[in-house]
């Protein structure tokens, strides 16, 4: 099976333009394609994960990836999927985030001469003259068509700023610029980016003629990835200082039964024949599938050693044994204890297991908290500081979240 057919079989492709030409380029290793990443944080998260895996797959098939960091578009902010305007970032923050992205991407993609390249659209967008841009690019866009675009619909309800309205033009210009300077002949993105991407294809064809070889392909990666990246604590980060390898493993270990095989098919590099055999799995076999998913993705992001540690810790916890060495932990300072005790609500909030006292109270009242395998039955319950010495105590939130709290 060639790479384009494999992408189809893995459920990655939603819609494309010029499918036969795209198949020809991709299957013959002639695609020079880009995927954009706006630097809205100092770490990539699992919402970017599908894009990174896609870049890796296509590079393995001989195609050349361009990782486009949105240092310029990040100054505006993508309105897609938003009901409010993104927070404005300073130039220094954007640059710092770009630097962090590059370090993380190097775990997935091989950069170098004739290999993947990384570019920052600030290099060309920040140099544009406004009047020249209006004359060269603005004339190619219909305001009526732009207002019908999916990426603007949610923002129209609360008010779309003129700043954000320019985002489509800037993203389209990226493709136009890289087509001319880097030979970029294909763009990839999530289905929420379809309008922006079509704008880039149309700009190339209007400026350079219908024979200009610019392709567009859209993947179900942003919509799926963003859904995958949402948890009660926020995004699941690829940076181990934000989301530990054990937490990352546990996130994937806890995906729903209905999603596990879809995630294995889209995100792992296991052979399709092996995955297809799992389609018949049910009941306890799905737990095995979740272990496979969690291990494979943790290995991909954090390496084999960390994946094995996370798996060993998780298995030990569910079996009621095993080391707590790699479990997420919080050291409680002496100031957290009043008269040598800490209340159950304060304990949950201090460990980041609940964002507020109110949520901690509700969780306890619903019977969702265990400390050292004993249910916390009362919101007024408190624990002795001495219990947190040495190995500390193990807090279990719900059925699947474990956390160690200790003090020195």
């Amino acid at each position: 099976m060639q790479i384009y057919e494999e992408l189809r079989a893995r459920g990655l492709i939603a819609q494309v333009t010029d499918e036969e030409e795209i198949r020809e380029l991709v299957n013959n290793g002639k695609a020079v394609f880009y995927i954009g990443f706006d630097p809205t944080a100092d770490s990539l998260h699992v919402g970017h994960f599908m894009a990174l895996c896609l870049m890796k797959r296509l590079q393995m098939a001989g195609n050349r990836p361009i990782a486009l960091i949105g240092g310029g578009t990040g100054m505006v902010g993508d309105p897609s999927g938003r009901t409010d305007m993104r927070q404005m970032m300073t130039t220094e923050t954007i640059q710092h985030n770009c630097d962090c992205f590059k370090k993380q991407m190097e775990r997935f993609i091989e950069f170098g001469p004739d290999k993947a390249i990384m570019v920052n659209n600030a290099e060309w967008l920040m140099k544009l003259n406004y009047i020249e841009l209006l004359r060269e690019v603005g004339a190619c866009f219909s305001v009526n068509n732009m207002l019908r675009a999916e990426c603007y619909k949610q923002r129209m309800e609360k008010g779309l700023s003129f700043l954000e309205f320019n985002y489509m033009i800037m993203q389209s210009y990226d493709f136009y610029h890289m087509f001319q300077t880097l030979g970029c002949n294909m763009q990839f993105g999530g289905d929420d980016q379809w309008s922006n991407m079509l704008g880039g294809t149309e700009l190339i064809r209007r400026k350079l003629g219908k024979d200009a070889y610019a392709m567009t392909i859209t993947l179900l990666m942003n919509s799926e990835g963003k859904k995958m990246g949402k948890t009660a604590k926020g995004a699941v980060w690829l940076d181990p200082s934000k989301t530990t390898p054990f937490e990352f493993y546990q996130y994937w270990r806890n995906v729903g039964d209905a999603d596990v095989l879809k995630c294995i098919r889209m995100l792992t590099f296991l052979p399709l024949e092996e995955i297809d055999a799992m389609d018949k799995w049910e009941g306890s076999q799905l737990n095995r599938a979740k272990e496979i998913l969690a291990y494979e993705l943790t290995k991909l992001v954090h390496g084999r050693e960390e994946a094995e540690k996370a798996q060993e810790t998780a298995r030990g916890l569910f079996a009621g044994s095993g080391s707590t060495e790699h479990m997420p932990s919080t050291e409680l300072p002496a100031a957290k204890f009043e008269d040598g005790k800490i209340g159950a609500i304060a304990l949950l909030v201090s460990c980041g297991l609940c964002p507020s006292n109110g949520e901690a109270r509700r969780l306890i009242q619903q019977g969702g908290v265990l400390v050292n395998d004993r249910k916390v039955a009362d919101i007024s319950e408190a624990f002795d500081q001495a219990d947190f010495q040495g190995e500390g105590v193990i807090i279990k939130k719900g059925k699947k979240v474990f956390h160690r709290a200790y003090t020195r």
Side-chain angles (χ1 to χ4, degrees):
M1 182 182 295
Q2 292 186 287
I3 184 63
Y4 185 82
E5 287 68 32
E6 181 178 348
L7 296 180
R8 280 283 190 198
R10 288 184 180 273
L12 290 168
I13 297 178
Q15 51 188 329
V16 301
T17 62
D18 306 301
E19 184 169 40
E20 289 306 313
E21 290 85 351
I22 291 171
R23 178 185 284 109
E24 173 71 17
L25 286 173
V26 168
N27 285 344
N28 290 286
K30 296 179 180 178
V32 181
F33 68 96
Y34 94 88
I35 299 179
F37 302 82
D38 270 356
T40 54
D42 59 0
S43 172
L44 297 165
H45 55 71
V46 297
H48 301 111
F49 197 72
M50 194 175 291
L52 295 171
C53 291
L54 173 70
M55 297 177 88
K56 184 178 178 71
R57 292 184 202 281
L58 288 167
Q59 185 175 47
M60 291 169 62
N63 298 286
R64 190 181 194 191
I66 300 174
L68 174 64
I69 305 298
T73 44
M75 299 289 284
V76 173
D78 185 1
S80 301
R82 303 281 298 189
T83 58
D84 57 350
M85 186 171 170
R86 293 181 186 272
Q87 183 177 354
M88 298 289 283
M89 297 183 294
T90 65
T91 304
E92 293 75 19
T93 297
I94 291 173
Q95 184 58 53
H96 171 72
N97 293 349
C98 289
D99 294 340
C100 293
F101 277 21
K102 187 174 190 298
K103 291 179 182 177
Q104 292 179 343
M105 286 181 181
E106 287 172 343
R107 293 191 62 91
F108 293 83
I109 309 161
E110 188 176 359
F111 293 95
D114 299 321
K115 300 186 185 299
I117 58 175
M118 177 175 287
V119 293
N120 186 331
N121 61 17
E123 295 174 12
W124 54 85
L125 292 180
M126 299 293 281
K127 299 175 183 177
L128 290 174
N129 177 282
Y130 185 63
I131 299 299
E132 290 178 0
L133 179 67
L134 287 178
R135 289 176 59 86
E136 181 180 3
V137 178
C140 298
F141 286 81
S142 162
V143 171
N144 291 346
N145 290 339
M146 292 174 71
L147 290 175
R148 285 193 291 268
E150 191 66 34
C151 60
Y152 291 140
K153 284 184 178 178
Q154 284 183 285
R155 293 293 290 115
M156 291 292 288
E157 296 178 7
K158 290 191 175 181
L160 177 70
S161 72
F162 185 72
L163 176 72
E164 297 168 290
F165 190 61
N166 281 269
Y167 191 90
M168 180 185 291
I169 295 177
M170 295 175 70
Q171 182 172 329
S172 299
Y173 187 86
D174 285 342
F175 194 20
Y176 174 64
H177 176 85
M178 289 187 290
F179 177 86
Q180 293 181 289
T181 59
L182 300 174
C184 181
N185 55 21
M186 197 175 296
Q187 57 181 332
F188 288 67
D191 58 352
D192 60 344
Q193 294 293 313
W194 185 242
S195 298
N196 293 342
M197 295 166 66
L198 289 179
T201 301
E202 182 62 21
L203 176 60
I204 289 173
R205 290 180 174 171
R206 290 192 64 172
K207 296 294 294 183
L208 304 177
K210 291 184 178 181
D211 293 333
Y213 221 49
M215 308 299 173
T216 304
I217 186 170
T218 292
L219 306 184
L220 281 172
M221 62 186 181
N222 283 349
S223 58
E224 292 290 332
K226 286 176 181 177
K227 182 177 70 175
M228 290 174 186
K230 299 297 183 182
T231 69
K233 294 174 65 177
V236 177
W237 305 101
L238 305 192
D239 183 342
S241 68
K242 290 177 172 289
T243 299
T244 68
F246 176 79
E247 289 172 316
F248 188 84
Y249 177 96
Q250 283 294 91
Y251 172 76
W252 294 108
R253 175 63 180 80
N254 295 332
V255 299
D257 290 355
D259 292 329
V260 58
L261 290 179
K262 178 173 67 176
C263 291
I264 290 177
R265 187 168 276 108
M266 286 182 168
L267 300 177
T268 77
F269 287 79
L270 296 175
L272 279 170
E273 296 80 4
E274 184 177 336
I275 300 171
D276 289 341
M278 298 180 192
D279 282 335
K280 300 178 182 178
W281 288 10
E282 56 186 23
S284 61
Q285 290 178 306
L286 289 178
N287 287 328
R288 173 60 183 147
K290 293 176 186 180
E291 278 197 338
I292 292 171
L293 172 67
Y295 177 81
E296 290 295 327
L297 297 191
T298 306
K299 180 177 68 173
L300 188 61
V301 175
H302 298 295
R304 183 182 300 275
E305 182 179 352
E306 291 296 338
E308 291 176 352
K309 288 178 182 177
Q311 186 170 74
E312 179 185 356
T313 300
R315 286 177 173 175
L317 288 170
F318 281 105
S321 61
S323 171
T324 62
E325 179 183 358
H326 307 295
M327 187 187 305
S329 301
T330 298
E331 180 180 357
L332 299 173
K336 291 288 184 181
F337 296 88
E338 186 175 344
D339 296 329
K341 290 183 178 294
I342 185 171
I345 292 176
L347 177 61
L348 292 172
V349 174
S350 297
C351 292
L353 294 172
C354 291
S356 66
N357 290 347
E359 184 168 324
R361 184 179 295 108
R362 285 190 295 274
L363 185 64
I364 293 170
Q365 291 171 335
Q366 293 166 1
V369 179
L370 280 75
V371 174
N372 285 345
D373 290 326
R374 186 178 64 82
K375 182 176 289 187
V376 179
D378 194 315
I379 60 172
S380 63
E381 189 165 345
F383 304 92
D384 292 332
Q385 185 173 359
D387 296 336
F388 294 85
Q389 298 289 336
E391 288 293 318
V393 303
I394 304 301
I395 307 165
K396 186 178 180 183
K397 174 187 173 183
K399 296 181 178 180
K400 300 173 180 178
V401 177
F402 295 87
H403 197 95
R404 182 171 74 99
Y406 67 97
T407 188
R408 298 184 188 278

